[in-house]
Amino acid sequence: MRIASELIDEIVAHAREDAPNECCGLVAGKDGAATRVFRARNEMASPLAYNVHPQDLLRITNEIERAGEELAAIYHSHTKSAAEPSQTDINLAANWPDPVYLICSIAEANAPVVRGWHLSDDAVAEVELSITA
Ligand SMILES: [Zn+2]
């Protein structure tokens, strides 16, 4: 998946603002490239888990559809752990296996990491992110 570094920066900024809670949001895309980042509320307001607030999910997916784009990714942050999916993340993704799951780790404050994952049928596979200028 191609994603501009400025979109990665937006996700990192959101992660930092919502810490110590996890943040979450959606990424629109077109033709295999991310186009826009949409912040959403973490319904769980928790440092250990997230759930995209259903009102935000509806509003944002409608907006993406109206713009003729697609839902490319769902992102959330890990404030204390690596950018790898937890068992909770894998379980949650079972409901919606299509998008790429981006995880932003700010466990090392000065070295944020964003990685992408396919989470489906209990299979975890990393998705290569091609970060463009
Ligand atoms: Zn997680």
Side-chain angles (χ1 to χ4, degrees):
M1 179 175 143
R2 279 175 292 133
I3 184 165
S5 59
E6 91 185 15
L7 297 181
I8 295 280
D9 292 346
E10 283 183 38
I11 292 170
V12 171
H14 190 194
R16 286 176 168 153
E17 283 174 41
D18 281 13
N21 287 345
E22 293 191 0
C23 75
C24 62
L26 277 60
V27 179
K30 201 162 192 182
D31 305 325
T35 52
R36 288 186 288 167
V37 168
F38 294 87
R39 291 184 177 203
R41 287 169 289 170
N42 177 359
E43 190 188 19
M44 303 182 78
S46 160
L48 297 171
Y50 80 100
N51 194 37
V52 177
H53 194 292
Q55 286 174 351
D56 294 353
L57 183 63
L58 188 65
R59 174 178 54 81
I60 296 166
T61 51
N62 282 342
E63 189 172 336
I64 290 172
E65 202 168 304
R66 267 202 309 276
E69 297 178 328
E70 59 209 31
L71 175 64
I74 297 173
Y75 73 87
H76 74 284
S77 62
H78 284 175
T79 56
K80 300 277 185 221
S81 59
E84 293 167 4
S86 65
Q87 188 59 49
T88 310
D89 295 337
I90 295 167
N91 295 347
L92 186 63
N95 301 318
W96 203 1
D98 296 336
V100 172
Y101 284 82
L102 297 175
I103 302 178
C104 171
S105 170
I106 53 167
E108 286 196 50
N110 297 321
V113 177
V114 176
R115 293 169 72 182
W117 304 89
H118 267 306
L119 307 176
S120 61
D121 299 328
D122 291 332
V124 174
E126 184 153 15
V127 175
E128 194 190 335
L129 298 182
S130 161
I131 298 175
T132 55

